[in-house]
Amino acid sequence: QYSFKEVFGTLVVQKELFDVVAKPLVEDLIRGKNGLLFTYGVTGSGKTHTMTGSPGDGGLLPRCLATIFNSIGPFQAKRFVFKLDDKNGVEVQSEVEALLERQRREALPVPKTPAGKRQLDPEFADMIDVQDRCRVEEVDEDNVYGVFVSYIEIYNNYIYDLLEEAPFESIKPKWNSCNTPVRNGDFVPPQSKILREDQNHNMYVTGCTEVEVKSTEEAFEVFWRGQKKRRIANTQLNRESSRSHSVFIIKLAQAPLDADGDNVLQEKEQITLSQLSLVDLAGSERTNRTKAEGNRLREAGNINQSLMTLRTCIEVLRENQMYGTNKMVPYRDSKLTHLFKNYFDGEGKVRMIVCVNPKAEDYEESLQVMRFAEMTQEVEVARPVDRPLCGLTPGRRLRNQAFREELSRKLELRGGPIGAGPEEPSAAELFFQSFPPLPSCELLDINDDQTLPKLIEALEQRHKMRQMLAEEFAKNVLAFKTTLQEFDSSVASKENYIQGKLAEKEKTITGQRTELERLEKKIKTLEYKIEILEKTATIYEEDKRNLQQELESKSQKLQRQASDKRRLEARLQGMVAETSLKWEKECERRVAAKQLEMQNKLWVKDEKLKQLKAIVTEPRAERPERPSREREREKPLPRSVSPSPAPGAPAAPLRPRRSRSAGERWVDHRPPSHVPTETLLQPRVPRAITVDAPSERALARCDRYLLTHQELASDGEIQTKLIKGDVFKTRGGGQAVQFTDIETLKQESPTGRKRRSSPPNPDPAGDAADSEWTDVETRCSVAVEMRAGSALGPGFQHHAQPK
């Protein structure tokens, strides 16, 4: 979904579209402000139809022209009073200079501009027949106006003048039916124009033809003359596709009248030149749809490139305004954006009409067009300030016109009949009509007595008439003096009345100025507050963007952690499954090994039972005599041979042990990591001080030291070592421990122990006697004692005695 200020349906008429979109631009043009109107869309979407219209229903361009001339028609200056210079400026010529310019132009052989009474071309006559007679209200009647039009096109990023009259010369190329010059079959483009910047930093086209027009018909005929030269071509999407951007420029020059309301002010500072540009953009198109080749392909590339530059400029402007950046807007990348740079910088109002084709094939391109058009609404263009007033009294034209009408009426009244009777002629009639003619003054006879009396009579009549004229003149002078006195008195009364009104108005103006100053101060305060709020909003927006970025980074991090967690869970599940399977196999293997071992033990027991049975069942005479218990007791118990001390090991100094009755005390040092075992033999130390770590205080109170140390044996069982030592006082007053003995407690499984080996040179006679307690002996516990000097520690002896 896309939102716009106005949306028009397919059945909308041109009048409604003009009233909403273009009429405000025309009103600003007459008030001295610039305007720019775009038609934008894909190829074949109706841009040219919206701008030009159709027979019987004119588009935006003819309606703009009609509105302008309907509004300023009675106030137009004579032709060539306004004169445009070559630097995008305008000058005011006097009446004499304008008359000489008109005579000079009429003497030239160039074709004249069309006049209003000339018959129109029927090809476009219906387009400008606007019946509603639309006009702008509140037009400044104290100004005179002049309208100038020009028509250019931007083709392949070059600017061409469509109104330029190229004289025919044999050495120059001719023009074909497509309005393109051809010489020997090769295309020769006309001379392109360049852009320049005037003293007010406004862009204009150098050397462009600008025609002064005085009516809607004349202006539209100039437009139609240039429209025929515009480049169009037949493509797959449009039979008459525009291959260039066309720009129709309407310039309105206006200058105030002088204080008398008769002549135009010659001051250049008081001249206002406003401009309305109507732009018909070429449609964006995809070459894979138009199947363009050659020149058409190059034209399409340049069209798309210029539209892309326009879009880039709008996006950079929007980014600069929204985020407070100061990126350079690439106006110069395209002639289209370079020409209208001032409008985007705040030199006028900009409006865009987006034309959309409802065809399904144009769906994707229409989405791109609407997305760009919606984005352009976020760009804020600064509005130009109003032009200053000229300082002259308003209503000068009407007052001068009323004065002239009143003067003419007064003169007509004064030249009429004077007196009561209708038979009395006026002085003018007596002077011109009733003046007696002079008789003939020729004297042919000396005796002629009639000529002189007639002459005397005529002169007397003329004398009487002169007296009558003098009397009438005196009467007229008196009447005129009376009229002047009456007029002076009326003027004085009116002047007094006007002075009173002016005093009231001055009071009102003073109050309004005071109110205006107060409002200006309030506006400045509000502007300052708005600036602060904008800065605050910018800070908040920046914080919001930072928080959003942080939130996105956190969410991405959480997503990565979640994915890592899922992978780790999957990996752990695989490891658990693999470990479970491995231990299941190991348990099965161990169970099978235990079963085999038990079977072997059972077989050994069975064999022993068989041997015992065989011994029991044997005759008593054949058995050897069993020694008596006395001999068995007298026989010394065999013990395992203790390993010899390691060679070269120094013997530890033996200290005499005190007996237990001497009352010795022990320091029982058991580390915190001590693991209690479930053996039957547990170390028990009487009168011991149990500590986790040895301290000097504990050692000073005792004379023996015991360290309990646990470690893991090679078969996986825990063995406990009791390391014993004596406590001595040192020369420095401290305590020292000297280790003397190590006792080892170890728990072993009976299934894994080997049979105890027999002593060397066994007694063959005792084999039968030892066989009965051998199995019992293997079940006896084993004690290991270590002494100083042995290879395994301070001392080592192995005792294995039957219980």
Side-chain angles (χ1 to χ4, degrees):
Q1 295 181 356
Y2 302 95
S3 59
F4 300 95
K5 292 182 179 180
E6 292 288 343
V7 178
F8 302 95
T10 56
L11 302 179
V12 66
V13 295
Q14 296 278 9
K15 173 68 168 55
E16 180 182 355
L17 183 64
F18 169 77
D19 290 340
V20 175
V21 180
K23 188 175 179 180
L25 296 179
V26 177
E27 293 175 352
D28 289 345
L29 176 70
I30 295 178
R31 293 187 179 95
K33 300 177 182 178
N34 298 331
L36 174 63
L37 178 61
F38 281 109
T39 54
Y40 181 72
V42 299
T43 181
S45 59
K47 301 182 295 299
T48 305
H49 172 75
T50 303
M51 187 63 70
T52 307
S54 59
D57 190 13
L60 299 180
L61 190 145
R63 291 180 184 273
C64 290
L65 293 173
T67 304
I68 292 172
F69 286 105
N70 291 338
S71 303
I72 67 170
F75 315 118
Q76 291 191 70
K78 294 182 180 180
R79 199 181 297 271
F80 303 120
V81 171
F82 291 104
K83 183 180 180 181
L84 299 178
D85 55 16
D86 296 334
K87 298 180 180 179
N88 201 30
V90 62
E91 298 177 352
V92 177
Q93 299 188 127
S94 63
E95 292 290 340
V96 177
E97 293 174 344
L99 179 60
L100 294 175
E101 184 72 18
R102 287 194 296 270
Q103 294 176 355
R104 188 178 64 82
R105 293 294 181 94
E106 290 175 358
L108 292 177
V110 297
K112 300 179 182 179
T113 56
K117 298 181 181 179
R118 181 178 173 182
Q119 187 177 2
L120 298 177
D121 190 349
E123 188 176 4
F124 63 86
D126 295 338
M127 295 185 183
I128 59 176
D129 188 14
V130 182
Q131 302 294 334
D132 50 8
R133 304 291 297 177
C134 183
R135 63 188 304 272
V136 176
E137 302 295 336
E138 300 180 359
V139 178
D140 191 356
E141 298 177 352
D142 294 324
N143 289 354
V144 290
Y145 300 89
V147 181
F148 299 85
V149 295
S150 58
Y151 198 17
I152 62 173
E153 71 170 352
I154 303 175
Y155 176 73
N156 287 339
N157 208 24
Y158 289 97
I159 299 177
Y160 299 101
D161 185 8
L162 295 178
L163 301 181
E164 185 177 12
E165 296 290 343
F168 176 77
E169 295 183 12
S170 58
I171 61 174
K172 291 187 177 181
K174 299 181 180 180
W175 295 72
N176 58 11
S177 59
C178 296
N179 296 320
T180 55
V182 173
R183 177 187 291 166
N184 298 329
D186 296 330
F187 176 75
V188 181
Q191 184 65 34
S192 62
K193 306 297 181 181
I194 61 176
L195 289 175
R196 292 191 184 276
E197 189 175 15
D198 62 6
Q199 60 182 359
N200 297 324
H201 305 288
N202 296 322
M203 305 305 300
Y204 68 98
V205 181
T206 307
C208 178
T209 304
E210 293 176 320
V211 182
E212 184 177 7
V213 291
K214 294 298 179 182
S215 64
T216 305
E217 295 80 4
E218 184 180 353
F220 197 79
E221 186 171 351
V222 172
F223 163 74
W224 198 256
R225 191 173 69 218
Q227 185 74 359
K228 291 181 179 181
K229 295 183 180 180
R230 188 181 177 187
R231 291 171 173 83
I232 59 175
N234 184 12
T235 63
Q236 293 286 341
L237 302 180
N238 193 355
R239 185 169 58 88
E240 295 182 355
S241 176
S242 302
R243 312 310 298 167
S244 63
H245 309 301
S246 66
V247 183
F248 188 74
I249 303 174
I250 305 172
K251 289 185 178 181
L252 181 65
Q254 50 184 312
L257 295 172
D258 57 6
D260 296 332
D262 292 332
N263 300 318
V264 184
L265 285 178
Q266 301 292 324
E267 299 177 5
K268 196 170 184 179
E269 293 78 10
Q270 298 294 337
I271 304 174
T272 302
L273 183 63
S274 54
Q275 175 177 314
L276 175 60
S277 301
L278 304 176
V279 184
D280 181 14
L281 294 176
S284 60
E285 57 187 28
R286 295 184 179 179
T287 55
N288 57 357
R289 294 186 58 201
T290 58
K291 310 299 181 185
E293 296 178 353
N295 290 333
R296 300 289 87 80
L297 181 61
R298 185 164 63 93
E299 293 166 356
N302 287 314
I303 291 171
N304 294 335
Q305 181 63 32
S306 61
L307 295 177
M308 182 60 67
T309 304
L310 174 63
R311 181 168 187 168
T312 303
C313 294
I314 296 295
E315 289 178 351
V316 174
L317 283 172
R318 172 174 169 268
E319 183 178 353
N320 289 342
Q321 292 177 4
M322 291 185 64
Y323 303 120
T325 58
N326 193 19
K327 292 185 178 180
M328 186 183 69
V329 184
Y331 291 121
R332 294 180 178 270
D333 292 352
S334 172
K335 290 290 195 302
L336 178 66
T337 54
H338 194 193
L339 177 61
F340 300 115
K341 175 180 76 69
N342 310 98
Y343 290 94
F344 300 113
D345 290 341
E347 292 296 332
K349 185 183 294 184
V350 182
R351 290 201 172 185
M352 178 183 292
I353 299 176
V354 182
C355 300
V356 179
N357 195 336
K359 291 173 58 177
E361 293 82 359
D362 295 338
Y363 176 74
E364 293 183 0
E365 297 183 22
S366 299
L367 287 182
Q368 297 291 335
V369 168
M370 288 190 290
R371 186 178 296 112
F372 166 67
E374 185 185 37
M375 184 262 296
T376 57
Q377 299 180 109
E378 301 178 5
V379 178
E380 298 178 359
V381 178
R383 295 289 178 258
V385 297
D386 294 334
R387 56 189 176 89
L389 299 176
C390 61
L392 298 176
T393 306
R396 302 183 300 280
R397 183 193 294 270
L398 294 178
R399 189 171 63 253
N400 188 22
Q401 185 177 358
F403 176 75
R404 288 181 178 180
E405 292 176 356
E406 183 67 18
L407 182 60
S408 300
R409 189 178 65 83
K410 290 287 185 180
L411 291 176
E412 290 178 359
L413 290 177
R414 290 296 176 266
I418 300 176
E423 66 278 358
E424 185 177 357
S426 64
E429 291 178 354
L430 289 175
F431 187 76
F432 291 107
Q433 298 177 5
S434 300
F435 201 79
L438 292 175
S440 177
C441 297
E442 293 182 359
L443 294 176
L444 300 177
D445 189 3
I446 194 172
N447 297 321
D448 188 2
D449 54 356
Q450 294 180 356
T451 303
L452 291 176
K454 289 180 180 179
L455 180 60
I456 292 170
E457 184 181 0
L459 290 175
E460 288 178 352
Q461 289 179 358
R462 285 177 176 266
H463 181 66
K464 291 180 181 179
M465 290 180 65
R466 182 178 178 182
Q467 290 179 352
M468 291 175 61
L469 288 174
E471 291 176 358
E472 186 176 0
F473 180 74
K475 290 180 182 179
N476 290 336
V477 169
L478 183 61
F480 186 70
K481 286 182 179 180
T482 305
T483 305
L484 284 178
Q485 290 175 358
E486 293 176 357
F487 184 73
D488 289 339
S489 61
S490 64
V491 167
S493 61
K494 288 183 179 179
E495 186 176 357
N496 294 331
Y497 176 75
I498 291 174
Q499 290 293 337
K501 288 290 184 181
L502 285 176
E504 294 178 359
K505 294 295 183 182
E506 285 179 357
K507 292 180 181 179
T508 305
I509 290 173
T510 304
Q512 290 179 353
R513 284 178 179 174
T514 306
E515 182 69 16
L516 185 61
E517 291 177 358
R518 186 185 65 82
L519 291 177
E520 286 179 352
K521 291 180 180 179
K522 187 175 180 180
I523 287 172
K524 289 181 180 179
T525 305
L526 293 177
E527 287 179 351
Y528 178 70
K529 291 182 179 179
I530 289 173
E531 184 178 359
I532 294 176
L533 291 176
E534 287 179 351
K535 291 182 180 179
T536 307
T538 304
I539 294 173
Y540 285 162
E541 289 290 338
E542 187 68 25
D543 294 341
K544 181 181 177 182
R545 287 196 301 272
N546 295 334
L547 291 176
Q548 286 180 351
Q549 293 177 359
E550 186 177 357
L551 181 61
E552 291 177 357
S553 62
K554 293 291 185 182
S555 61
Q556 293 176 1
K557 185 177 180 180
L558 288 176
Q559 290 177 0
R560 289 195 299 269
Q561 291 179 355
S563 61
D564 294 342
K565 184 178 179 181
R566 287 193 297 270
R567 288 196 298 269
L568 184 59
E569 288 179 353
R571 183 179 178 184
L572 291 177
Q573 289 178 359
M575 293 176 64
V576 168
E578 183 179 357
T579 307
S580 301
L581 182 61
K582 179 178 179 181
W583 278 107
E584 286 178 359
K585 292 181 180 180
E586 181 67 20
C587 291
E588 291 177 358
R589 186 185 63 78
R590 290 186 180 184
V591 168
K594 288 291 182 182
Q595 289 178 355
L596 182 59
E597 184 180 356
M598 294 304 294
Q599 289 177 1
N600 293 334
K601 287 182 178 181
L602 288 176
W603 180 78
V604 172
K605 293 293 182 181
D606 291 340
E607 289 295 327
K608 288 182 178 180
L609 288 175
K610 288 180 182 180
Q611 293 178 3
L612 183 61
K613 185 177 180 182
I615 294 172
V616 171
T617 55
E618 285 181 358
R620 188 174 296 273
E622 297 178 359
R623 289 185 179 181
E625 183 179 359
R626 184 175 180 179
S628 63
R629 290 185 178 269
E630 288 77 5
R631 293 176 58 187
E632 183 178 353
R633 290 192 188 99
E634 293 177 356
K635 185 178 180 180
L637 294 175
R639 299 184 66 177
S640 60
V641 180
S642 176
S644 61
L654 298 178
R655 294 180 179 273
R657 293 187 180 181
R658 291 178 293 183
S659 63
R660 293 182 181 270
S661 60
E664 59 185 7
R665 297 192 66 179
W666 291 74
V667 176
D668 189 4
H669 178 196
R670 294 192 180 186
S673 60
H674 178 74
V675 178
T677 58
E678 298 179 356
T679 58
L680 294 177
L681 297 177
Q682 294 289 340
R684 179 177 176 274
V685 183
R687 300 184 64 189
I689 300 176
T690 305
V691 295
D692 294 334
S695 62
E696 185 178 357
R697 181 178 180 181
L699 293 174
R701 295 169 57 186
C702 302
D703 50 358
R704 298 300 301 275
Y705 177 85
L706 177 64
L707 172 63
T708 304
H709 173 66
Q710 290 182 334
E711 62 182 9
L712 194 65
S714 60
D715 56 355
E717 297 293 339
I718 297 176
Q719 65 179 6
T720 305
K721 290 185 178 181
L722 303 178
I723 305 173
K724 296 180 289 182
D726 297 332
V727 180
F728 301 98
K729 292 184 179 180
T730 61
R731 295 180 180 179
Q735 304 293 330
V737 177
Q738 183 176 7
F739 294 100
T740 57
D741 295 328
I742 296 178
E743 294 182 6
T744 303
L745 302 180
K746 183 177 180 183
Q747 186 178 4
E748 297 181 354
S749 177
T751 58
R753 186 176 303 280
K754 298 181 181 180
R755 185 180 297 274
R756 184 174 60 88
S757 61
S758 59
N761 299 325
D763 187 5
D767 290 341
D770 293 341
S771 62
E772 294 182 1
W773 52 267
T774 302
D775 294 335
V776 180
E777 186 182 9
T778 58
R779 291 175 174 84
C780 294
S781 61
V782 178
V784 178
E785 181 181 1
M786 303 183 69
R787 296 185 180 275
S790 65
L792 298 178
F796 177 83
Q797 280 189 349
H798 180 249
H799 303 280
Q801 296 181 0
K803 294 182 180 178

